[in-house]
Amino acid sequence: MLQEGKIYIGTSRKPDDSINKGEYLELKFGNRHGLITGATGTGKTVTLQILAEGFSNAGVPVFCADVKGDLSGIGAMGEPKDFLLKRAEQIGLDPYDFQEFPVIFWDLYGEKGHRVRTTISEMGPLLLSRLMNATDAQEGVLNIAFKIADEGGLPLLDLKDLQALLNYMGENASELSNQFGFISKASVGSIQRELLILEQQGAEHFFGEPALKITDIMRTTNDGRGAISVLAADKLMMNPRLYATFLLWLLSELFEELPEVGDPDKPKLVFFFDEAHLLFNDAPKVLVERVEQVVRLIRSKGVGVYFVTQNPLDVPEAVLAQLGNRIQHALRAYSPREQKAVKTAADTFRPNPDFNCADVITNLGTGEALVSTLEGKGSPSIVERTLVRPPASRLGPLTDAERQKVVDVSPVRGLYDEDFDRDSAYEMLAKRAAKAAEQAEAARQAEEKPAEDTSGGSRWTLPGFGDDAAEAASGKQARPRSSGHKRETIMEAAMKSVARTVATQVGRALVRGILGSLKR
Ligand SMILES: Nc1ncnc2c1ncn2[C@@H]1O[C@H](COP(=O)(O)OP(=O)(O)OP(=O)(O)O)[C@@H](O)[C@H]1O
Ligand SMILES: [Mg+2]
């Protein structure tokens, strides 16, 4: 059953129910992506579990989200329950060995695993707009905010930093509009309100430092197995946009950071996207196009992406077309939409003369699926009606105590568990700010001298700090603002330093990738 270079999925049956042959996923096609679909309770999560086990045993790290908490059992030894033993016997899996897998638990909220964070800067305007469900006008303003920050080299760490930048933009909207394009004060205000909502929904846990390093989800154990990163997503699912945006961000990070490897013997990482419909639900067209592009291109970085969802219609056609390895569990066919889903699912398979796909899909048992994977030179195998193997690890959740044990001995223990002291993040900004303040003061003093040499040209002209050319020319007193310098917060001061950098164009602009996260 266990063959080199392949993951055993299960055993197919002939129309008379006798055993046909083992069905496998070839590791060298593991980066050609996949799809697991089926109605609720038909066996999708178990299928995900056995694939994750297979990849891990082959030395391939796996990342998956645990939407219902029932995937955590992959970190514990399986138990010889009757129905599992029966399944093993039915498919001729002998010996049926139990095994526990090396898992790393992650949790945006830090309750059921190690904290995962990123910074606002790293997420970028496109995904942040998606997270906020921004209107076009709001997205325009966010783009400008990132332009100001990126060109000035200002790290936006968390939601508060972005709020501060937006404050600055609101206060100086008309002047900044000349330089960066129209900034509507109303949009700035509405974004700020949205950010507050996000904060209340717990998104503030997600933004900050230390940010997740993707190398930490690409670990292997000393005995050569791939670590399985399990993201606790039960609480996260209450904020589906945060869930979807987080996974997209991770995909985007992988894409931007990993080198090209062509088609490797086995994937560098496999990424399971459970509840994949959340990625695409009401997603703006441009985002869907970018996702499609990333999915297409990430293959040559050795990353396999597996979408898990109830209905194949949940995944846009352009993405669907790229998913080479398919496992279709049972679908119902009551409503017209369900019937359409059955037809779509059936039509995408390479037909098997022994049966009619559409008929079979509605009659599959639990833990049974139509399976077609890539073979030979990369063409889909003839679809087979397959009984999926039982997992080697535990089916069902870990107890809290078991989970804690895993967390306590985790290889990333201590790396992410504490927030970086906010002061240390601010320190960096403070340094910039102090320098900026110094320069501003020098400029102000120069200005106070009788107008002798104003032709220097290198002086910054971004508005709002009391010493820009426009205000000086209009005879406004710079003093009130200058005295305000003493009271300004570090962030405001940093903003000034950014303003200076942008205005003088000496900043090293940050470069963004397809999904808008930072390129390195
Ligand atoms: N390969 C299998 N071998 C043995 N039992 C299985 C197998 N697959 C599924 N089952 C049984 O079916 C149950 C439901 O499976 P699973 O949780 O994977 O469904 P699901 O499609 O993920 O459902 P949901 O959409 O509700 O998340 C399992 O708890 C298990 O009892
Ligand atoms: Mg499930």
Side-chain angles (χ1 to χ4, degrees):
M1 309 249 72
L2 306 178
Q3 296 185 16
E4 195 58 30
K6 295 176 174 187
I7 295 174
Y8 170 60
I9 299 173
T11 300
S12 56
R13 292 190 291 169
K14 295 185 184 141
D16 65 3
D17 272 3
S18 62
I19 280 191
N20 181 20
K21 63 182 171 65
E23 301 297 328
Y24 298 88
L25 192 155
E26 289 196 37
L27 287 168
K28 67 175 178 196
F29 296 128
N31 66 335
R32 300 280 293 269
H33 309 322
L35 180 69
I36 303 171
T37 47
T40 178
T42 54
K44 297 183 297 298
T45 300
V46 175
T47 295
L48 191 167
Q49 185 169 351
I50 62 112
L51 287 180
E53 291 178 354
F55 281 117
S56 173
N57 278 337
V60 179
V62 170
F63 184 93
C64 50
D66 188 8
V67 170
K68 294 195 175 141
D70 52 353
L71 194 54
S72 56
I74 200 164
M77 190 77 85
E79 293 138 7
K81 298 248 171 77
D82 285 350
F83 70 103
L84 297 174
L85 297 173
K86 182 169 163 241
R87 171 62 58 99
E89 193 192 326
Q90 221 177 348
I91 62 175
L93 175 61
D94 188 24
Y96 172 28
D97 291 325
F98 294 106
Q99 201 185 337
E100 63 181 24
F101 287 81
V103 294
I104 303 178
F105 288 115
W106 302 93
D107 182 0
L108 263 68
Y109 304 100
E111 291 161 5
K112 295 183 164 177
H114 303 288
R115 290 279 305 272
V116 221
R117 304 177 197 73
T118 188
T119 62
I120 296 274
S121 278
E122 276 171 287
M123 176 157 272
L126 182 68
L127 293 182
L128 197 64
S129 297
R130 168 68 172 147
L131 180 58
M132 294 174 35
N133 208 15
T135 62
D136 286 351
Q138 291 171 334
E139 188 166 0
V141 170
L142 277 175
N143 279 327
I144 294 176
F146 275 88
K147 191 167 155 60
I148 293 174
D150 287 357
E151 291 187 1
L154 175 76
L156 297 173
L157 300 181
D158 54 25
L159 292 171
K160 289 191 183 62
D161 292 343
L162 183 57
Q163 286 284 17
L165 177 56
L166 288 164
N167 275 338
Y168 167 73
M169 288 171 67
E171 281 165 14
N172 300 282
S174 50
E175 295 94 327
L176 288 168
S177 289
N178 293 333
Q179 203 167 334
F180 295 99
F182 180 63
I183 299 169
S184 128
K185 274 193 183 179
S187 300
V188 171
S190 60
I191 295 174
Q192 290 187 302
R193 287 189 296 277
E194 288 291 330
L195 288 179
L196 285 179
I197 296 174
L198 272 184
E199 209 172 313
Q200 284 156 8
Q201 289 172 339
E204 96 255 28
H205 294 285
F206 176 49
F207 292 112
E209 293 211 282
L212 177 70
K213 288 199 199 67
I214 56 155
T215 43
D216 279 328
I217 60 165
M218 300 187 69
R219 289 173 177 261
T220 47
T221 59
N222 293 335
D223 60 357
R225 291 186 296 161
I228 301 177
S229 282
V230 177
L231 177 75
D234 38 357
K235 184 170 171 188
L236 185 57
M237 290 312 284
M238 290 191 252
N239 186 350
R241 271 210 306 273
L242 181 58
Y243 168 79
T245 314
F246 167 70
L247 291 184
L248 278 181
W249 166 76
L250 196 51
L251 193 65
S252 165
E253 279 291 295
L254 290 166
F255 177 71
E256 300 301 343
E257 291 216 3
L258 295 179
E260 289 283 329
V261 291
D263 278 320
D265 293 343
K266 61 183 184 192
K268 300 287 175 204
L269 176 84
V270 165
F271 194 102
F272 287 95
F273 249 128
D274 207 344
E275 303 286 344
H277 63 283
L278 295 174
L279 290 179
F280 303 110
N281 270 0
D282 327 307
K285 189 157 167 275
V286 49
L287 183 67
V288 174
E289 282 166 8
R290 303 276 179 96
V291 171
E292 189 246 307
Q293 205 177 346
V294 167
V295 169
R296 178 155 40 81
L297 297 173
I298 205 166
R299 170 183 150 191
S300 63
K301 308 219 164 177
V303 177
V305 184
Y306 289 71
F307 294 91
V308 184
T309 186
Q310 294 200 7
N311 189 325
L313 299 177
D314 292 337
V315 182
E317 222 165 297
V319 176
L320 213 50
Q322 300 177 49
L323 311 180
N325 300 299
R326 300 197 172 195
I327 302 184
Q328 174 68 59
H329 287 281
L331 290 174
R332 282 181 284 268
Y334 304 131
S335 72
R337 185 167 192 266
E338 287 169 347
Q339 285 157 12
K340 184 164 177 238
V342 169
K343 188 169 175 345
T344 303
D347 289 349
T348 52
F349 283 115
R350 181 174 161 198
N352 186 326
D354 284 348
F355 57 83
N356 175 305
C357 269
D359 292 345
V360 169
I361 286 177
T362 53
N363 287 312
L364 291 165
T366 306
E368 189 180 23
L370 289 181
V371 173
S372 168
T373 57
L374 296 181
E375 62 178 14
K377 292 198 168 117
S379 51
S381 62
I382 290 174
V383 63
E384 295 287 358
R385 181 175 185 162
T386 305
L387 285 170
V388 176
R389 66 157 293 174
S393 53
R394 181 190 301 171
L395 201 154
L398 292 191
T399 64
D400 289 348
E402 287 171 324
R403 184 188 284 268
Q404 192 55 46
K405 244 187 185 163
V406 172
V407 169
D408 286 346
V409 299
S410 148
V412 302
R413 182 161 184 246
L415 296 183
Y416 297 101
D417 301 331
E418 300 299 323
D419 284 324
F420 268 174
D421 190 348
R422 278 195 59 84
D423 287 347
S424 58
Y426 271 116
E427 238 163 50
M428 175 183 162
L429 298 174
K431 237 185 248 165
R432 295 173 57 112
K435 202 168 155 213
E438 222 169 75
Q439 289 167 344
E441 183 60 19
R444 192 183 61 79
Q445 282 176 4
E447 207 173 283
E448 277 178 350
K449 284 184 195 158
E452 355 174 284
D453 181 21
T454 49
S455 62
S458 66
R459 221 166 51 79
W460 56 284
T461 55
L462 267 171
F465 294 100
D467 45 2
D468 58 283
E471 286 179 45
S474 69
K476 258 197 235 165
Q477 264 300 346
R479 287 225 179 266
R481 293 275 195 163
S482 299
S483 63
H485 281 176
K486 293 188 194 84
R487 291 197 311 269
E488 72 193 357
T489 66
I490 291 167
M491 191 62 200
E492 282 166 352
M495 213 64 71
K496 179 160 61 185
S497 115
V498 170
R500 170 182 297 277
T501 324
V502 175
T504 54
Q505 294 297 314
V506 298
R508 193 171 58 90
L510 304 173
V511 183
R512 296 192 174 275
I514 298 177
L515 280 168
S517 64
L518 288 178
K519 264 189 177 348
R520 253 139 270 241

